[in-house]
C-alpha cells in the first residue's frame, strides 16, 4: 500500500517510526499536529496501542500517607495491568481504616513536592503519563485562603405566619432556618443578615413588601400581625460557608471563591510556585492540570455580584433577590419548591425572568474569573487543561469549550445491563440503566464543536457496588461511555494502599482496582480493549449531521441551574431519550446551544459551526430564546435547513429587561418561520417508546439514516466516526442477559468502493465482513459490541463467528470435579453431578476466588466437535482442553472454537471461573471496610451469581 503518513515538511516515516513516536508520551502532542495516519498505520495503532492511548487511573494518595518505595511499586503494578497514565489525586484518608502509623505529608510542602518529583521521574521511566489535580478533594480550597477569597453563598429563609399573632423570631432562628446544611460546612463560616422583609401570602406585587430589618433589636424581631397570611423573608449571606470535601492535609481548608479572580490566581499560583520553585518546570512531566467535580454546594456570591449584575443586565436585582432563590440543601439542590409564599402569575413570570438573568450572570462571571483564569494558568505553564466543566455555575456546553481535554463522567450503578423502562429512566438520578451520565453527550458535543478528538471521562465511578463489579459490567458501562462520545477513559480509581495494609486495603472511593481483587490478573484484558478503542477513535472525527438543543434557558428560569451530572430536575424529563433514539435509529447528533446558533453560518441547507455541519435541528420543548437566536433560526430555514419543535414553539424571550419588546421580536420571527411548514415543524412527544417515535419521524420527513436498522432496540446503540480514508461504526448491546439479532443496511456513502471489516478490540484481530448490498446481519451476544471499519483494504481472513448451539449438540451432562481456590487461601474440593449457581448452594454462597471444574469425555468414531459453548458463566472463564489453554472469555457469550484439539478417545476439559468478591466481603462482619461497602443500608446489595452455571455443549 502506498504510504500516506506525512510530516508537514514532507519527510516520510515508516509505520514503525509512527508507532515509536506515538508511543512516546512526551511527543504525543507533536505527533498529533504533524501526522495523518494511513489505513495500515491506523490498524497498527489499533492492534498495538501505545501507552498514551491506554486507560489512565485516578490515583488517590490517601491522606497523603505516601512513601517512595510504595509509589514506585504501585506505578509498576499499574503499568503491568495495562494502564497508561495516572492522575495524581491527594485526598483525605478513608475513615474506619488503619493507617499503620504512616504519617501524612502536607500538600505542597517541600516533602510532598519531592515525593511528586520522584513519582514523575518514575512514571517517565515507565513511559507513563502523569496528570495532576489542581488541589485536593473537591471543589478545591486551602487553609491559606482568607476573607473574600473563601466561597460565599446568599440564601433565603422563610417563616410563614398566620395572624392575628404576636410573636418573636430570633436572628439565631433565622440563621438556623437559612442554613443550607451543606455536606462539608466550614467551622469558620460567618452568617450575616442582609435583608428582612414582611410579605403577604399570596404576594401580588412588590408594593406589598415591607422592609422590617430595622425592627430587629438585640438580635430579636418582634412581630404583631393582623388577621391574614404572611411570611417573613430573610436574605442571609454566609462567608466561608464550606470546606473542601475530602481534602488531604494542607488542602482541607475553606473552599475557594470561584467568582473572585484574584483569589483564583492566588490559589493556582500557590500550587505552581510551591512546586516549580523547588523542582523546576512541571512541563513536560505533567500532561495536564485537572479540575474535578465543582460541587460548590450552591456558591453564588462575590462582593461585586450585584454591581456586575446591574452592569450586565441593566437593572438592580437586589430588591428581588430573596424571591428568586429557592430553599437549598446539600450540593445546592432545591429541597422544597413550595417553600415560598404563593405569588400571582404575573409576578411569577417576572421572577422567573430575573432568575434566568441571575443564573446567566453567575455563569458569565464563573467563566471569566475561574474557567478562563484556569485555562490561562495551564497555558502559561505549558500544561494542558483538563476539566469537568459542568455543574452549577457553568454553561452546560460552552463550559467545556476552552478546556484542552473536556471530561465527562461514567458511573457504575444498579440497572446497568438491565432493561429499564422509559418511566424509570426519567426518574432521579436520570440515567438508571446507563453508565454514561446526563452530561457526557454535552461534553463530547462541545469537544466535537471545537474540533477536539481527546474527550476524557471519569470512568466507572462507583460509590455503591464496589465488590460486585466485574469486567463484563465494566465493558457494558464503558461501551455506553464510548457511545456517548468519550474517547479517553480515566478509571475511578486506584487507591494508594501499601502491600502490608490490612485486607482489603485502603479504599476511599471507586472500583476496587487492587492487586487483591479476584479479577486483577485478568484486568489487562479490559485495559487492552479500551486502549484499542481509544487509539482508533482519537484518530477519527465523530460524525453527526443532526443537532439538538435542550431548553437550558427555560430550566434556569423555572428551577435554576442544576447540579450536573445528576440534576435533581431535568427539563424536560425525557430529554436524554431524544438523542438516544436518534442513535438507536441509525442517525447521529450533537448538542448545540443558542451561542452556537448565534455564531453559526447557514447555506445550502446546513448550519455550519467550524467543521461541524447539521441539516436538521431538534428543539426540545424550547419555549424561550433570545431574539438574535430566533433570527438565526429563520436564516437556517431560509437556507434550506429543517427545524423540529418538540411540544413547543419558542414564543418568548429570556430575561427581564425590555422583555416586552424582545418578546415581540421572537414572536415576529416565529410567525415568519411558520410560513415554512415543511421546514419548521411542530412535533408532539410520544407517551412512550421514543425509539419508535423517532423512527416514524425519520420515515415521514425523509431523514436518511446512514445505518437503516430493521428493528431498533433500546439496548442497541451505534455511533459513526470518520478518517480521511475510512468509515468507522460501533454497535453495542447494553444487555447483560439477552442476545440481540441486528439487521441493518449501510448507506452507499459508507460502503462505496470500500471493504467492510470487523476490528476486534478484545483481541486486536481484524476480519473481512462479507456484506451483500450493504446488508448487515449479526447476532450481538450479551455485553457484545462490534467495530465495523470500511476502507480500501482487500486482503485478509474472513469473519467466521462461532455459530449458535445446534440441536444435535452434545450436552456435557457429566460429573464435574470442582476445586475451590478461595482468596482467603483455603482450598475445597466438591463433586457436582449438576451445574448450578454457587450462590444458591449454602456451602459456596460466600465463595470468592477461582473454581476449577474438571471432567473427562470419551469421543468415539468420527465424532469431531468444533465448538464448545459454556452456557451461562458468572465470572471470568478460562478453557483448558487436553492441557492446552484456549484463552480467557470475560464478557458476553463464553464459547470457543476447539477444532483439532479434541481427539478420539478420552479428553480432559477444565473450565476455570473467577468470581466476584461481594458475597464473601458481605460475610466479613468484623471487617469495617468490607461491611461499609456491602452491608451499609445505603449500599444494600443482593447476592451475586457465581461460577459455571451452564449448560455446557459440544457441537
Amino acid at each position: 500500500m502506498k504510504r500516506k503518513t506525512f510530516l508537514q515538511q514532507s519527510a516520510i516515516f515508516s509505520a514503525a517510526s509512527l508507532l515509536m513516536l506515538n508511543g512516546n508520551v512526551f511527543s504525543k502532542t507533536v505527533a498529533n499536529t504533524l501526522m495523518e495516519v494511513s489505513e495500515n498505520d491506523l490498524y497498527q495503532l489499533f492492534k498495538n496501542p501505545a501507552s498514551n492511548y491506554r486507560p489512565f487511573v485516578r490515583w488517590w494518595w490517601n491522606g497523603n500517607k505516601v512513601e517512595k518505595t510504595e509509589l514506585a511499586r504501585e506505578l509498576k503494578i499499574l503499568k503491568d495491568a495495562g494502564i497508561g497514565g495516572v492522575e495524581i489525586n491527594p485526598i483525605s484518608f478513608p475513615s474506619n481504616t488503619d493507617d499503620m502509623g504512616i504519617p501524612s505529608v502536607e500538600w505542597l510542602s517541600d516533602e510532598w513536592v519531592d515525593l511528586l518529583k520522584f513519582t514523575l521521574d518514575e512514571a517517565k521511566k515507565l513511559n507513563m503519563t502523569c496528570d495532576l489535580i489542581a488541589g485536593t478533594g473537591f471543589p478545591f480550597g486551602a487553609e491559606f485562603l482568607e476573607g473574600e477569597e473563601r466561597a460565599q453563598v446568599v440564601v433565603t429563609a422563610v417563616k410563614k405566619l398566620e395572624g392575628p399573632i404576636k410573636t418573636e423570631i430570633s436572628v439565631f432562628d433565622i440563621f438556623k432556618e437559612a442554613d443550607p446544611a451543606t455536606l462539608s460546612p466550614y467551622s469558620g463560616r460567618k452568617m450575616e443578615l442582609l435583608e428582612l422583609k414582611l410579605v403577604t401570602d399570596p404576594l401580588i406585587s412588590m408594593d406589598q413588601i415591607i422592609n422590617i430589618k430595622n425592627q430587629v433589636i438585640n438580635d430579636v424581631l418582634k412581630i404583631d400581625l393582623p388577621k391574614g397570611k404572611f411570611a417573613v423573608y430573610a436574605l442571609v449571606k454566609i462567608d466561608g460557608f464550606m470546606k473542601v470535601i475530602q481534602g488531604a492535609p494542607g488542602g482541607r481548608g475553606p473552599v475557594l471563591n470561584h467568582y473572585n479572580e484574584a483569589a483564583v490566581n492566588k490559589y493556582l499560583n500557590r500550587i505552581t510556585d510551591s512546586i516549580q520553585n523547588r523542582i523546576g518546570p512541571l512541563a513536560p512531566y505533567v500532561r495536564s492540570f485537572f479540575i474535578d467535580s465543582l460541587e460548590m454546594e450552591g456558591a453564588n456570591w462575590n462582593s461585586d455580584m450585584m454591581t456586575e449584575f446591574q452592569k450586565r443586565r441593566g437593572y438592580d436585582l437586589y430588591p428581588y433577590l430573596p424571591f428568586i432563590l429557592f430553599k437549598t440543601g446539600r450540593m445546592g439542590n432545591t429541597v422544597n419548591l413550595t417553600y415560598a409564599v404563593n405569588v400571582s402569575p404575573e409576578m411569577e413570570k417576572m421572577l422567573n425572568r430575573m432568575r434566568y438573568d441571575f443564573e446567566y450572570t453567575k455563569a458569565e462571571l464563573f467563566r471569566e474569573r475561574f474557567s478562563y483564569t484556569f485555562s490561562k494558568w495551564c497555558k502559561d505553564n505549558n500544561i494542558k487543561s483538563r476539566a469537568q466543566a459542568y455543574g452549577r455555575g457553568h454553561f452546560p456546553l460552552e463550559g467545556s469549550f476552552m478546556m484542552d481535554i473536556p471530561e465527562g463522567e461514567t458511573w457504575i450503578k444498579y440497572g446497568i445491563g438491565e432493561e429499564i423502562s422509559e418511566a424509570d429512566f426519567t426518574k432521579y438520578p436520570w440515567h438508571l440503566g446507563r453508565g454514561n451520565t446526563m452530561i457526557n453527550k454535552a461534553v463530547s458535543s462541545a469537544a466535537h464543536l471545537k474540533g477536539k478528538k481527546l474527550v476524557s471521562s471519569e470512568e466507572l465511578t462507583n460509590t455503591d457496588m464496589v465488590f460486585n463489579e466485574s469486567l463484563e459490567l465494566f465493558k457494558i458501562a464503558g461501551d455506553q461511555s464510548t457511545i456517548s462520545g468519550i474517547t479517553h477513559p480515566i478509571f475511578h480509581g486506584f487507591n494508594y494502599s501499601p502491600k502490608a495494609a490490612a485486607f482489603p486495603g485502603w479504599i476511599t472511593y471507586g472500583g476496587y482496582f487492587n492487586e487483591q481483587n479476584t479479577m486483577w490478573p485478568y484486568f489487562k484484558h479490559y485495559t487492552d480493549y479500551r486502549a484499542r478503542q481509544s487509539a482508533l477513535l482519537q484518530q477519527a472525527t465523530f460524525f453527526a449531521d443532526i443537532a439538538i438543543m435542550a431548553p437550558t434557558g427555560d430550566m434556569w428560569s423555572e428551577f435554576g441551574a442544576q447540579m450536573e451530572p445528576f440534576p435533581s430536575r431535568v427539563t424536560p424529563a425525557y430529554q436524554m431519550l431524544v438523542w438516544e433514539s436518534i442513535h438507536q435509529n441509525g442517525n447521529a447528533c450533537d448538542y448545540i446551544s443558542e451561542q452556537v446558533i448565534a455564531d453559526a453560518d447557514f447555506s445550502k441547507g446546513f448550519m455550519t459551526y467550524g467543521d461541524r455541519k447539521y441539516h436538521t435541528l431538534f428543539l426540545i420543548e424550547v419555549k424561550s430564546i433570545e431574539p438574535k437566536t430566533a433570527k438565526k433560526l429563520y436564516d437556517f430555514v431560509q437556507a434550506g435547513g429543517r427545524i423540529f419543535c418538540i411540544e413547543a414553539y419558542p414564543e418568548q424571550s429570556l430575561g427581564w429587561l425590555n422583555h416586552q419588546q424582545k418578546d415581540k421580536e421572537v414572536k415576529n420571527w416565529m410567525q415568519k418561520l411558520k410560513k415554512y411548514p415543511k421546514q419548521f415543524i411542530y412535533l408532539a412527544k410520544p407517551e412512550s417508546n421514543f425509539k419508535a417515535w423517532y423512527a416514524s419521524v425519520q420515515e415521514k420527513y425523509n431523514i436518511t439514516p446512514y445505518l437503516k436498522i430493521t428493528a431498533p432496540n433500546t439496548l442497541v446503540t451505534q455511533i459513526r466516526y470518520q478518517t480521511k480514508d475510512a468509515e468507522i461504526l460501533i454497535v453495542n448491546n447494553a444487555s447483560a442477559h439477552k442476545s440481540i439479532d441486528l439487521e441493518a443496511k449501510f448507506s452507499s456513502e459508507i460502503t462505496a468502493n470500500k471493504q467492510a471489516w470487523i476490528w476486534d478490540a478484545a483481541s486486536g484481530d481484524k476480519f473481512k465482513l462479507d456484506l451483500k448490498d450493504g446488508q448487515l446481519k449479526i447476532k450481538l451476544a450479551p455485553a457484545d459490541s462490534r467495530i465495523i471499519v470500511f476502507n480500501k483494504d482487500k486482503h485478509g481472513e474472513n469473519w467466521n463467528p462461532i455459530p449458535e448451539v445446534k440441536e444435535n449438540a452434545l450436552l456435557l451432562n457429566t460429573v464435574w470435579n470442582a476445586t475451590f481456590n478461595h482468596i482467603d487461601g483455603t482450598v475445597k474440593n466438591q463433586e457436582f453431578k449438576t451445574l448450578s449457581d454457587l450462590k444458591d448452594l449454602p456451602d459456596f454462597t460466600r465463595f470468592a476466588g477461582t473454581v476449577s471444574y474438571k471432567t473427562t469425555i470419551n469421543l468415539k468414531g468420527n465424532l469431531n466437535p468444533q465448538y464448545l459453548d459454556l452456557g451461562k458463566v458468572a465470572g471470568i472463564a478460562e478453557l483448558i482442553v487436553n492441557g492446552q489453554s484456549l484463552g480467557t472469555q470475560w464478557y458476553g457469550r463464553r464459547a470457543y472454537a476447539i477444532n483439532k484439539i479434541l481427539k478420539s478417545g478420552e479428553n480432559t476439559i477444565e473450565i476455570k471461573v473467577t468470581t466476584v468478591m461481594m458475597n464473601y466481603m458481605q460475610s466479613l462482619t468484623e471487617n469495617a471496610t468490607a461491611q461499609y461497602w456491602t452491608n451499609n443500608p445505603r449500599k444494600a446489595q443482593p447476592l451475586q451469581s457465581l461460577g459455571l452455571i451452564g449448560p455446557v455443549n459440544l457441537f
Side-chain angles (χ1 to χ4, degrees):
M1 179 182 294
K2 185 178 179 180
R3 309 305 295 170
K4 298 179 182 177
T5 304
F6 298 102
L7 290 180
Q8 287 179 338
Q9 291 85 357
S10 298
I12 300 177
F13 269 24
S14 69
S17 300
L18 171 66
L19 290 169
M20 186 179 298
L21 183 55
N22 273 274
N24 185 339
V25 147
F26 307 101
S27 301
K28 179 58 181 168
T29 302
V30 176
N32 267 346
T33 58
L34 295 184
M35 294 186 295
E36 295 178 357
V37 181
S38 76
E39 294 168 14
N40 187 58
D41 290 339
L42 184 63
Y43 176 66
Q44 292 304 318
L45 286 174
F46 169 81
K47 184 176 177 64
N48 300 298
S51 178
N52 51 279
Y53 296 117
R54 292 196 156 274
F56 289 20
V57 293
R58 178 172 296 181
W59 190 14
W60 283 297
W61 286 11
N62 284 315
N64 269 338
K65 295 177 180 292
V66 291
E67 299 171 324
K68 287 183 178 179
T69 302
E70 181 61 22
L71 289 167
R73 189 185 79 87
E74 293 189 10
L75 279 171
K76 182 65 167 57
I77 288 172
L78 290 168
K79 177 71 174 182
D80 291 343
I83 296 299
V86 294
E87 170 203 303
I88 298 168
N89 196 311
I91 200 163
S92 62
F93 193 76
S95 59
N96 301 318
T97 302
D98 180 8
D99 70 0
M100 305 163 59
I102 299 174
S104 293
V105 181
E106 186 167 306
W107 177 60
L108 297 185
S109 67
D110 287 350
E111 184 181 359
W112 187 89
V113 172
D114 291 343
L115 287 164
L116 174 66
K117 178 64 165 63
F118 172 82
T119 303
L120 299 177
D121 288 340
E122 289 296 303
K124 186 175 182 180
K125 292 176 187 176
L126 294 169
N127 196 28
M128 296 178 73
T129 303
C130 288
D131 288 354
L132 180 62
I133 194 170
T136 83
F138 49 95
F140 300 153
E143 286 86 344
F144 58 76
L145 297 172
E146 301 172 331
E148 288 265 325
E149 298 166 352
R150 301 170 175 178
Q152 303 175 34
V153 65
V154 168
V155 294
T156 188
V158 178
K159 290 274 192 180
K160 293 182 179 179
L161 303 167
E162 187 166 356
I165 187 174
K166 288 184 178 181
T167 188
E168 295 181 354
I169 303 174
S170 70
V171 172
F172 175 82
D173 286 338
I174 292 172
F175 287 166
K176 186 177 179 181
E177 177 67 27
D179 193 338
T182 57
L183 178 67
S184 184
Y186 177 56
S187 60
R189 62 186 183 157
K190 297 178 181 179
M191 289 190 171
E192 177 185 354
L193 183 63
L194 298 180
E195 295 293 334
L196 201 59
K197 301 176 184 296
L198 180 67
V199 305
T200 59
D201 187 2
L203 181 60
I204 308 301
S205 75
M206 296 295 289
D207 296 335
Q208 296 172 293
I209 298 170
I210 303 172
N211 192 337
I212 56 173
K213 184 182 177 185
N214 58 2
Q215 297 179 26
V216 176
I217 300 174
N218 296 325
D219 287 338
V220 174
L221 172 67
K222 293 183 178 181
I223 297 178
D224 184 357
L225 296 176
K227 185 177 181 179
K229 291 184 178 181
F230 301 87
V232 173
Y233 269 73
L235 192 66
V236 177
K237 179 163 75 87
I238 312 174
D239 289 329
F241 76 103
M242 70 174 296
K243 68 178 179 182
V244 176
I245 301 169
Q246 294 200 252
R252 292 172 173 165
V255 165
L256 170 70
N257 185 345
H258 294 70
Y259 296 103
N260 185 324
E261 186 176 351
V264 173
N265 271 312
K266 173 182 175 179
Y267 173 81
L268 295 176
N269 288 333
R270 176 70 71 96
I271 294 173
T272 41
D273 289 349
S274 298
I275 296 172
Q276 296 184 147
N277 287 346
R278 183 167 179 83
I279 64 173
L282 283 170
Y285 294 90
V286 170
R287 176 188 70 162
S288 71
F289 287 125
F290 172 58
I291 298 292
D292 195 8
S293 302
L294 286 168
E295 298 173 12
M296 294 165 53
E297 305 259 27
N300 62 7
W301 203 253
N302 194 52
S303 59
D304 65 346
M305 182 64 75
M306 290 296 94
T307 302
E308 285 294 327
F309 182 94
Q310 187 158 4
K311 182 171 68 176
R312 295 162 188 255
R313 307 282 87 84
Y315 66 97
D316 184 6
L317 179 67
Y318 192 69
Y320 307 92
L321 191 57
F323 307 101
I324 68 167
L325 298 175
F326 291 111
K327 176 67 174 174
T328 58
R330 288 173 58 164
M331 293 296 158
N333 286 324
T334 300
V335 296
N336 187 352
L337 284 174
T338 63
Y339 181 68
V341 301
N342 294 313
V343 298
S344 65
E346 292 75 16
M347 191 164 186
E348 183 177 20
K349 291 177 182 177
M350 176 187 73
L351 294 175
N352 283 353
R353 289 178 178 276
M354 292 179 171
R355 185 178 296 114
Y356 170 82
D357 283 339
F358 188 45
E359 296 292 355
Y360 195 88
T361 301
K362 287 192 299 177
E364 282 185 325
L365 290 173
F366 193 95
R367 177 171 59 185
E368 295 165 15
R369 296 178 176 184
F370 180 75
S371 299
Y372 285 158
T373 304
F374 169 69
S375 296
K376 183 178 183 301
W377 172 70
C378 292
K379 186 175 181 180
D380 289 346
N381 286 281
N382 297 313
I383 290 174
K384 293 186 181 299
S385 56
R386 181 178 133 239
Q388 296 177 1
Y390 40 82
R392 288 191 181 86
H394 283 284
F395 291 105
L397 191 75
E398 289 85 351
S400 294
F401 276 5
M402 68 203 75
M403 302 305 169
D404 294 318
I405 309 174
E407 177 154 303
E409 293 188 37
T410 297
W411 281 60
I412 294 285
K413 279 188 176 290
Y414 292 106
I416 293 176
E418 307 298 326
E419 289 195 70
I420 302 296
S421 70
E422 288 178 347
D424 285 339
F425 176 76
T426 54
K427 297 175 183 176
Y428 186 82
W430 310 105
H431 76 296
L432 191 65
R434 314 306 198 264
N436 52 287
T437 61
M438 283 287 298
I439 199 63
N440 278 25
K441 188 63 175 176
V443 168
S444 64
S445 296
H448 304 153
L449 287 161
K450 291 300 180 180
K452 298 170 185 174
K453 298 177 181 178
L454 192 62
V455 189
S456 63
S457 174
E458 175 188 308
E459 192 104 335
L460 308 179
T461 307
N462 189 345
T463 59
D464 289 331
M465 42 196 293
V466 168
F467 292 111
N468 63 11
E469 59 198 10
S470 64
L471 294 186
E472 183 169 73
L473 190 65
F474 287 169
K475 184 179 185 299
I476 295 172
D479 284 346
Q480 290 180 325
S481 187
T482 300
I483 289 295
S484 69
I486 300 301
T487 64
H488 176 37
I490 297 173
F491 297 150
H492 180 283
F494 187 82
N495 285 274
Y496 177 97
S497 182
K499 193 170 185 178
F503 179 80
W506 298 352
I507 303 176
T508 289
Y509 273 144
Y512 185 53
F513 301 124
N514 185 287
E515 62 207 284
Q516 299 180 85
N517 195 328
T518 51
M519 70 176 171
W520 191 253
Y522 306 96
F523 190 58
K524 193 170 184 295
H525 289 288
Y526 184 61
T527 59
D528 285 348
Y529 172 80
R530 294 308 302 277
R532 292 188 180 107
Q533 279 190 338
S534 294
L536 177 62
L537 299 183
Q538 286 177 31
Q539 314 306 319
T541 299
F542 183 92
F543 175 87
D545 55 8
I546 295 173
I548 57 176
M549 189 172 87
T552 302
D554 291 310
M555 179 184 71
W556 284 11
S557 299
E558 191 170 358
F559 301 117
Q562 298 296 295
M563 186 62 220
E564 297 285 6
F566 300 117
S568 55
R569 287 170 183 82
V570 176
T571 305
Y574 63 83
Q575 180 192 134
M576 196 165 160
L577 292 171
V578 176
W579 81 257
E580 288 193 345
S581 297
I582 291 172
H583 282 260
Q584 288 158 6
N585 282 277
N587 288 121
C589 61
D590 283 326
Y591 275 118
I592 65 168
S593 65
E594 289 202 55
Q595 187 59 60
V596 170
I597 293 171
D599 293 338
D601 296 317
F602 309 94
S603 66
K604 299 180 180 179
F606 284 93
M607 175 193 307
T608 304
Y609 184 97
D611 293 331
R612 309 301 284 174
K613 294 176 67 176
Y614 310 104
H615 57 66
T616 297
L617 169 64
F618 284 86
L619 302 179
I620 308 175
E621 288 198 30
V622 176
K623 302 170 185 175
S624 310
I625 57 175
E626 295 290 347
K628 63 182 179 181
T629 308
K631 194 268 182 190
K632 284 281 193 168
L633 295 180
Y634 180 74
D635 292 345
F636 181 37
V637 166
Q638 271 207 319
R642 181 164 50 188
I643 300 171
F644 292 103
C645 299
I646 303 176
E647 284 293 305
Y649 289 118
E651 295 286 4
Q652 66 179 27
S653 63
L654 291 158
W656 174 247
L657 188 67
N658 299 327
H659 69 275
Q660 296 95 338
Q661 177 59 38
K662 292 196 295 182
D663 283 355
K664 290 179 182 177
E665 293 178 42
V666 171
K667 290 180 186 297
N668 287 338
W669 286 117
M670 289 304 113
Q671 290 303 315
K672 292 179 180 180
L673 279 162
K674 288 175 183 177
K675 293 178 180 178
Y676 295 83
K678 293 183 179 181
Q679 294 168 260
F680 190 66
I681 302 161
Y682 176 92
L683 294 176
K685 72 174 180 65
E687 291 301 316
S688 62
N689 201 345
F690 271 76
K691 70 178 184 301
W693 165 80
Y694 178 75
S696 67
V697 172
Q698 201 179 46
E699 183 176 358
K700 181 177 180 179
Y701 296 101
N702 297 314
I703 303 174
T704 304
Y706 53 77
L707 183 64
K708 180 63 177 176
I709 299 173
T710 302
N713 191 307
T714 304
L715 294 166
V716 176
T717 314
Q718 60 74 41
I719 50 171
R720 175 185 177 188
Y721 280 79
Q722 296 173 311
T723 69
K724 180 181 178 182
D725 301 307
E727 293 277 358
I728 303 162
L729 284 95
I730 302 178
V731 294
N732 82 300
N733 175 10
S735 173
H737 313 289
K738 293 175 58 177
S739 291
I740 298 174
D741 291 309
L742 175 64
E743 293 189 15
K745 183 175 182 179
F746 293 99
S747 66
S748 59
E749 67 175 350
I750 290 177
T751 61
N753 301 316
K754 292 184 176 70
Q755 170 64 48
W757 297 82
I758 282 183
W759 288 16
D760 187 344
S763 67
D765 297 327
K766 66 175 181 177
F767 305 95
K768 285 180 69 174
L769 188 59
D770 184 19
L771 300 181
K772 304 296 186 185
D773 299 321
Q775 293 283 349
L776 173 72
K777 289 186 178 182
I778 59 173
K779 182 178 286 290
L780 295 171
D784 208 354
S785 59
R786 297 291 175 196
I787 299 175
I788 303 171
V789 177
F790 292 84
N791 60 28
K792 294 183 180 180
D793 286 350
K794 299 298 181 183
H795 304 290
E797 182 181 348
N798 291 328
W799 186 51
N800 292 302
I802 295 175
E804 295 301 297
V805 177
K806 308 291 185 181
E807 288 185 5
N808 62 348
L810 174 62
L811 173 64
L812 295 192
N813 192 12
T814 182
V815 174
W816 296 90
N817 294 302
T819 301
F820 291 78
N821 292 283
H822 201 292
I823 60 171
D824 66 6
T826 62
V827 180
K828 285 185 179 180
N829 294 293
Q830 180 72 34
E831 184 179 278
F832 292 111
K833 294 182 179 179
T834 304
L835 294 171
S836 60
D837 192 332
L838 297 178
K839 77 172 171 55
D840 299 326
L841 303 178
D843 290 343
F844 301 103
T845 300
R846 299 299 180 179
F847 177 77
T850 298
V851 191
S852 175
Y853 298 83
K854 294 181 180 179
T855 193
T856 59
I857 59 170
N858 202 308
L859 294 180
K860 298 179 180 180
N862 295 324
L863 189 63
N864 184 26
Q866 298 180 54
Y867 306 103
L868 190 147
D869 188 299
L870 303 185
K872 183 176 181 182
V873 179
I876 301 166
E878 180 185 2
L879 175 65
I880 302 169
V881 179
N882 293 332
Q884 180 177 343
S885 175
L886 298 186
T888 299
Q889 303 265 351
W890 52 275
Y891 70 90
R893 183 185 178 196
R894 274 65 161 185
Y896 292 81
I898 58 171
N899 191 25
K900 299 181 181 180
I901 295 175
L902 292 175
K903 60 188 179 182
S904 179
E906 189 172 274
N907 295 265
T908 61
I909 294 178
E910 180 180 5
I911 302 165
K912 292 182 177 180
V913 178
T914 301
T915 73
V916 296
M917 299 177 65
M918 201 286 294
N919 298 6
Y920 170 61
M921 302 303 288
Q922 204 172 62
S923 73
L924 301 180
T925 55
E926 303 302 315
N927 188 311
T929 300
Q931 291 304 292
Y932 176 78
W933 292 109
T934 62
N935 274 338
N936 186 317
R938 290 178 51 248
K939 306 178 190 300
Q941 298 178 36
L943 288 173
Q944 300 297 295
S945 291
L946 306 173
L948 178 64
I949 302 169
V952 180
N953 283 286
L954 280 167
F955 60 101

